[in-house]
Amino acid sequence: MEFSKSVTYIVGDNGSGKSTLLEAIANLLGLNAEGGSKNFNFRTQETHSNLYEELRAVRADLGYRNAFFFRAESFYNLASEVDRIAGEDPMMLYSYGGVSLHQQSHGESFMSLFTNRLRSKGLFIFDEPEAALSYLNQLRFLVWMKEAVNSGSQIIISTHSPVILAYPDAEIFVAENGILKTTPYDDCYIYRDMLAFITNKDLVIRELFGE
């Protein structure tokens, strides 16, 4: 795979392997499997794949040291680790907005991490960041992505949201049957399936319910 764009999406249905691939890329780059930067070493359970052992990375000198892996399914563990470190070093919380991530709503804590911790130029890997975000916060996340790209950041992201998928001039890889294929936004199943439901909601519901 060549990450030739500032924003690269890896999408696919449940079980397609997209999260496993993102995890492997993060592991390959030395990032914590449950989320965080290279400085996070916590483990709650060893469940990550050994796929990273089969990968090799060829990297250009992009001029940044900041790298972060955001994983929605283990965000609670990440927030707990931030609190643990903050107990020893209170300044830690300032990197996340000054308030414990556990003391905010789920969506607010996501946005607090994105807009505070991930401000400088870096390589950011996101696995389903929309999991706790409202529609408006998904739009705010797109704005954050634009600001990150303008600062010189590179983003690799997996999502099921047609809103978050909508970043202009991004490359979209669809994982299906063990193969990655590129597709334009308008042809991506995430957009087409949501559009079909919104424009034909009553028909879809009738078919689902057998009416």
Side-chain angles (χ1 to χ4, degrees), residues 28-65:
L28 181 66
L29 300 178
L31 301 175
N32 191 57
E34 293 184 38
S37 67
K38 293 182 179 180
N39 296 325
F40 281 77
N41 297 310
F42 69 94
R43 291 285 191 275
T44 57
Q45 190 171 352
E46 293 286 348
T47 60
H48 58 277
S49 166
N50 62 356
L51 175 62
Y52 72 96
E53 297 175 355
E54 306 298 326
L55 303 181
R56 296 293 180 271
V58 178
R59 289 174 285 175
D61 182 7
L62 300 177
Y64 53 71
R65 297 179 180 177

Side-chain angles (χ1 to χ4, degrees), residues 5-6 9 35-36 44 52 78 107 130 139 158 173 176 196-197 200:
K5 303 283 189 176
S6 295
Y9 293 95
T44 57
Y52 72 96
L78 173 67
E130 75 279 6
L139 295 178
S158 174
F173 288 94
E176 187 175 11
F197 177 78
N200 299 280

Side-chain angles (χ1 to χ4, degrees), residues 96-115:
Y96 295 84
V99 179
S100 168
L101 298 173
H102 281 313
Q103 293 179 12
Q104 305 174 58
S105 75
H106 202 183
E108 287 174 331
S109 64
F110 275 30
M111 292 304 300
S112 183
L113 184 149
F114 301 150
T115 57

